[in-house]
Amino acid sequence: MELNTCSPNTIPVVSTFASPFEASPDQNDSKRKPLSLWPGMYHSPVTNALWETRSKIFERLLDPPLDAPPQSELLTKTPSESRTSILYNFSTDYILREQYRDPWNEVRIGKLLEDLDALAGTISVKYYRDIDQNTIEKKTGSLVCDHCSDIDSMTRPLYLVTASVDKMVLKKPISVDTDLKMVGAVIWVGFSSIEIQLDVIQPANGSSASESVALTANFIFVARDYKTGKAAPVNRLCPETEAEKLFYEAAEARNNLRKRKTVGDKKEIENGGVNRLEELLAEGRIFCDMPALADRDTILLRDTHLENSLICQPQQRNIHGRIFGGFLMLRAFELAFSTAYAFAGLMPSFLEVDHVNFLRPVDVGDFLRFKSCVLYTEHENTDQPLINVEVVAHVTRPEQRSSEVSNRFYFTFTVRPEAKATNTQFRIRKVVPATEEEARRVLERMDADHLQSIKYTNK
């Protein structure tokens, strides 16, 4: 099934690219793109297409006017101005299809995470007045709108960083044989924050618009002054349609809930959760002190651990020279998937990502370690038991004997129905902590999951 390709804001994607270092076809301009703007061909073709669009912007920012004054006048924009889409021609482009195929003839979720992060970044980034929009349209086939654009090109630029992924939910399997569309827009702004909602759409025959949405994701970006690094104000947002107003109100409510998560709230949760903490630890102590008497349907949290590590390579960087957040999500997802697989003993099925925190940037050359575990399981619903996996990324510096957390990821999986049908003895084991630190992590995650379900109940 083919999707409409006529939208003026649709970025076409092809499976191969011309060399970014070849000379410009314009004989009057023999310049080649700066090396820093081309992170190589490691990433997906969609991510590369988005970065090619953004590189037109950052060519101007190689030597930003840091001494120029900051933006003084904020603009008022609408969600429709930022709406951008990506089209995947899976039905006709065999090479593109093979780049995204997983073993079950579905789209590889890890590659999609890269593209989601790249699209969210493209939507949030700013265009400047002196950018030749006709050149961008000619290069990408579309005009990508922004939400941080400053009419006065002589003001000091801002830069935007991914603060978090608030929620990502897979609503149905995504086939790799059918055309796919990814659409995103700004739905809410604060003083320096921007929330972007992305939908992955794959219509089936006779399906309604809502049924065609296969995945939804919400990214939050924060603006920083290019010179001071401090929070900088972003343009205002004025929702126009009823749907846009509902999205804005829901995002505003989520933002207020995040602000209310103060230290006092955490103490209240801790005080009220003493009994829950003791209950969790009681089962863990049996495993540690009397393993022969432990419940065979229970396993210690520490026994679900998996880990891998890597040196961050130049091919994994983004156009800012830092390690691409989408790459980190891809690696975290694939480790989480392996953890769920080894734990369940059957092929897992991805359901959602809960609030990814980007705590610090990761640089080329960093020694990065990913550590995963199954935090807890929910098996009351035998048709769809849940496996909640935590992945923590650490930037390790052996010379300094230090290790810092750069990212925390929380994934939820179930088991593929077809895999479960072939194993009538299948069961999901209960995971219990052995230490108070582990028990607190489990309770904090359970409470956070509960808060997330409340935040998105009326979405």
Side-chain angles (χ1 to χ4, degrees):
M1 179 176 181
E2 294 190 16
L3 295 171
N4 181 14
T5 62
C6 298
S7 170
N9 283 348
T10 298
I11 299 177
V13 178
V14 294
S15 52
T16 57
F17 296 90
S19 169
F21 304 108
E22 64 188 9
S24 168
D26 185 349
Q27 298 302 319
N28 296 324
D29 182 9
S30 60
K31 292 182 180 179
R32 298 187 179 189
K33 293 187 182 301
L35 181 63
S36 62
L37 298 182
W38 284 99
M41 301 305 290
Y42 175 88
H43 301 290
S44 78
V46 169
T47 293
N48 280 314
L50 287 162
W51 285 356
E52 164 64 355
T53 302
R54 272 195 273 170
S55 71
K56 293 293 182 181
I57 304 161
F58 289 104
E59 283 173 3
R60 176 188 178 277
L61 295 179
L62 291 177
D63 296 303
L66 298 185
D67 294 330
Q71 180 178 353
S72 58
E73 182 179 352
L74 297 178
L75 308 176
T76 298
K77 297 199 168 189
T78 64
S80 61
E81 290 183 83
S82 67
R83 188 161 289 112
T84 308
S85 62
I86 288 288
L87 179 67
Y88 298 74
N89 291 311
F90 287 144
S91 64
T92 57
D93 192 331
Y94 173 79
I95 297 177
L96 183 68
R97 188 161 67 242
E98 286 304 303
Q99 288 175 297
Y100 283 83
R101 186 191 302 277
D102 74 2
W104 305 278
N105 209 43
E106 295 174 2
V107 169
R108 187 178 166 192
I109 296 296
K111 299 300 289 183
L112 209 57
L113 294 180
E114 279 194 337
D115 295 349
L116 287 163
D117 189 50
L119 178 57
T122 297
I123 291 172
S124 68
V125 80
K126 59 180 167 178
Y127 279 2
Y128 291 96
R129 190 177 181 181
D130 60 349
I131 296 296
D132 183 356
Q133 304 293 5
N134 292 327
T135 300
I136 297 175
E137 288 186 348
K138 182 178 178 181
K139 185 70 180 178
T140 67
S142 72
L143 177 61
V144 182
C145 299
D146 68 288
H147 198 78
C148 290
S149 176
D150 184 357
I151 289 177
D152 185 358
S153 61
M154 296 307 295
T155 58
R156 191 160 66 232
L158 305 180
Y159 68 94
L160 290 109
V161 295
T162 310
S164 64
V165 180
D166 201 47
K167 188 76 168 180
M168 188 180 298
V169 179
L170 183 69
K171 297 187 174 183
K172 65 176 184 178
I174 305 175
S175 170
V176 78
D177 293 324
T178 306
D179 287 351
L180 193 68
K181 193 173 186 179
M182 190 185 296
V183 182
V186 175
I187 62 168
W188 175 87
V189 297
F191 173 76
S192 61
S193 303
I194 298 174
E195 181 165 342
I196 296 165
Q197 181 171 310
L198 304 174
D199 290 330
V200 177
I201 301 169
Q202 190 171 64
N205 292 331
S207 62
S208 65
S210 60
E211 292 171 337
S212 298
V213 177
L215 182 147
T216 62
N218 288 69
F219 282 73
I220 298 172
F221 285 74
V222 292
R224 295 286 182 262
D225 185 283
Y226 214 101
K227 180 179 181 180
T228 66
K230 296 181 179 180
V234 294
N235 293 316
R236 297 179 292 265
L237 183 71
C238 180
E240 295 178 308
T241 68
E242 286 302 317
E244 289 171 353
K245 292 175 182 177
L246 289 175
F247 284 136
Y248 188 95
E249 291 170 1
E252 180 76 15
R254 290 193 294 272
N255 181 64
N256 291 335
L257 277 174
R258 282 192 293 268
K259 289 181 177 178
R260 287 203 295 268
K261 291 178 67 178
T262 61
V263 175
D265 294 332
K266 289 181 179 179
K267 287 182 177 179
E268 184 178 339
I269 292 173
E270 290 173 1
N271 292 334
V274 170
N275 292 335
R276 296 163 65 201
L277 198 71
E278 286 301 318
E279 288 173 6
L280 282 175
L281 287 171
E283 294 187 66
R285 291 193 189 101
I286 295 175
F287 259 97
C288 297
D289 299 339
M290 299 171 284
L293 302 179
D295 186 347
R296 294 300 95 187
D297 288 333
T298 304
I299 185 173
L300 286 176
L301 184 152
R302 67 190 182 198
D303 292 333
T304 69
H305 277 271
L306 285 182
E307 179 178 341
N308 61 32
S309 59
L310 65 130
I311 303 297
C312 297
Q313 303 294 337
Q315 294 81 8
Q316 296 151 4
R317 72 190 186 277
N318 59 22
I319 58 179
H320 302 289
R322 290 270 172 75
I323 298 304
F324 176 40
F327 168 77
L328 299 175
M329 288 197 287
L330 181 151
R331 292 299 299 258
F333 172 82
E334 295 193 342
L335 179 60
F337 187 94
S338 301
T339 303
Y341 193 2
F343 171 78
L346 292 178
M347 194 63 66
S349 178
F350 168 71
L351 292 178
E352 63 182 46
V353 180
D354 271 338
H355 205 83
V356 178
N357 288 314
F358 291 83
L359 303 175
R360 56 147 292 168
V362 181
D363 294 315
V364 173
D366 278 349
F367 177 20
L368 195 62
R369 302 177 68 186
F370 290 91
K371 300 179 182 180
S372 70
C373 69
V374 178
L375 271 185
Y376 68 97
T377 60
E378 300 174 59
H379 43 80
E380 291 80 7
N381 183 351
T382 56
D383 293 331
Q384 193 181 61
L386 303 181
I387 305 168
N388 295 274
V389 180
E390 176 191 61
V391 180
V392 183
H394 299 257
V395 173
T396 303
R397 304 186 188 282
E399 299 89 346
Q400 301 174 10
R401 294 189 296 177
S402 67
S403 181
E404 295 179 85
V405 174
S406 65
N407 304 83
R408 293 185 184 273
F409 306 85
Y410 298 96
F411 300 91
T412 303
F413 297 88
T414 187
V415 175
R416 289 179 173 269
E418 62 271 22
K420 190 167 57 174
T422 62
N423 188 341
T424 57
Q425 303 300 316
F426 168 76
R427 70 184 189 279
I428 288 288
R429 302 173 75 178
K430 183 178 181 180
V431 178
V432 295
T435 66
E436 183 173 322
E437 186 273 334
E438 290 178 345
R440 289 183 182 277
R441 279 167 53 204
V442 172
L443 289 180
E444 285 176 5
R445 192 64 234 152
M446 287 180 171
D447 291 338
D449 286 344
H450 177 66
L451 179 62
Q452 283 284 81
S453 65
I454 293 174
K455 284 161 64 176
Y456 282 86
T457 298
N458 298 319
K459 182 178 175 182

